Amino acid sequence: AEIAAAIHAAHEAEGVIILAGQGIEAIADDGKEVRITLTGGRQIAADLAVIGIGAVPVTGLAAEAGLTIDNGIAVDAELRTADPDIFAAGDCCSFPLAVYGG
């Protein structure tokens, strides 16, 4: 959530309008513009559409193995889990980022 808020604020500071939690009824791309129809009928025309749907990490097996789960499989800067013999990498992990103070 903290990273998402920082990215959201940075984009808004550059004039980007972010519409979150809106339902999309249709998307049409004619090669010149993208026309998005939102639930309720509002239409938006744009040169480009960037669509992010998010992801929920799959951590069931790691939890069953007794590993720490914290918005994903918790790993250190070297991708080591709470068990020093198990490493995890990819979108299933949460790890410290120096740029955000660890």
Side-chain angles (χ1 to χ4, degrees), residues 18-100:
I18 298 173
L19 301 174
Q22 301 289 312
I24 296 175
E25 198 168 290
I27 300 175
D29 183 351
D30 66 9
K32 295 179 183 172
E33 74 176 4
V34 178
R35 184 164 301 281
I36 302 162
T37 304
L38 300 177
T39 303
R42 178 178 176 188
Q43 288 198 343
I44 300 168
D47 297 328
L48 172 71
V50 178
I51 302 166
I53 59 169
V56 176
V58 177
T59 58
L61 181 61
E64 287 177 28
L67 302 178
T68 302
I69 307 300
D70 180 14
N71 192 29
I73 303 167
V75 297
D76 64 15
E78 293 161 349
L79 304 179
R80 184 177 294 110
T81 68
D83 181 322
D85 293 323
I86 300 176
F87 292 77
D91 292 347
C92 65
C93 297
S94 64
F95 49 89
L97 291 173
V99 70
Y100 295 107

